[in-house]
Amino acid sequence: MIETWCWRCGVEYPMLKDSEWSVIQTAHALLHEDNYAPMHQLAADAKRLGLPRPRPVDTNAPLMAQRPWHMIAGYEMFTGILETSPPQETASW
């Protein structure tokens, strides 16, 4: 994890290194197999890397957040921060 200036937040914010992001990408690639496969992969990687186990899916979260929850949990696994306001698509290009 590295601290980088976030133009959206206006503060220094933890960003993932390429090696950390690849762990999340590997889990994300499993989404087409089974909705639970990414979280199982993250849990295995967390154990292998000596990181905290990823937070289980928040069933109170909006449905739009539940499907990509492995990405939210993966970010928290590396940074210790639970992202509560992911960017929203607001551009009307």
Side-chain angles (χ1 to χ4, degrees):
M1 170 191 72
I2 55 176
E3 293 282 326
T4 304
W5 178 259
C6 177
W7 62 269
R8 178 171 111 24
C9 303
V11 296
E12 289 283 321
Y13 207 75
M15 301 292 174
L16 300 176
K17 295 179 188 175
D18 289 342
S19 59
E20 296 164 337
W21 177 238
S22 70
V23 170
I24 297 171
Q25 283 181 309
T26 299
H28 183 68
L30 299 174
L31 187 59
H32 72 280
E33 293 178 14
D34 169 345
N35 285 341
Y36 300 104
M39 290 300 290
H40 292 303
Q41 181 65 44
L42 275 183
D45 285 333
K47 184 176 182 179
R48 177 179 58 84
L49 297 169
L51 296 170
R53 187 171 175 83
R55 180 185 300 255
V57 175
D58 181 355
T59 56
N60 293 320
L63 291 176
M64 285 183 60
Q66 289 182 27
R67 183 160 169 86
W69 189 259
H70 58 282
M71 312 248 331
I72 295 168
Y75 179 79
E76 181 186 27
M77 191 172 82
F78 286 107
T79 66
I81 295 173
L82 177 63
E83 179 58 70
T84 57
S85 62
Q88 300 295 315
E89 192 66 40
T90 56
S92 57
W93 304 54

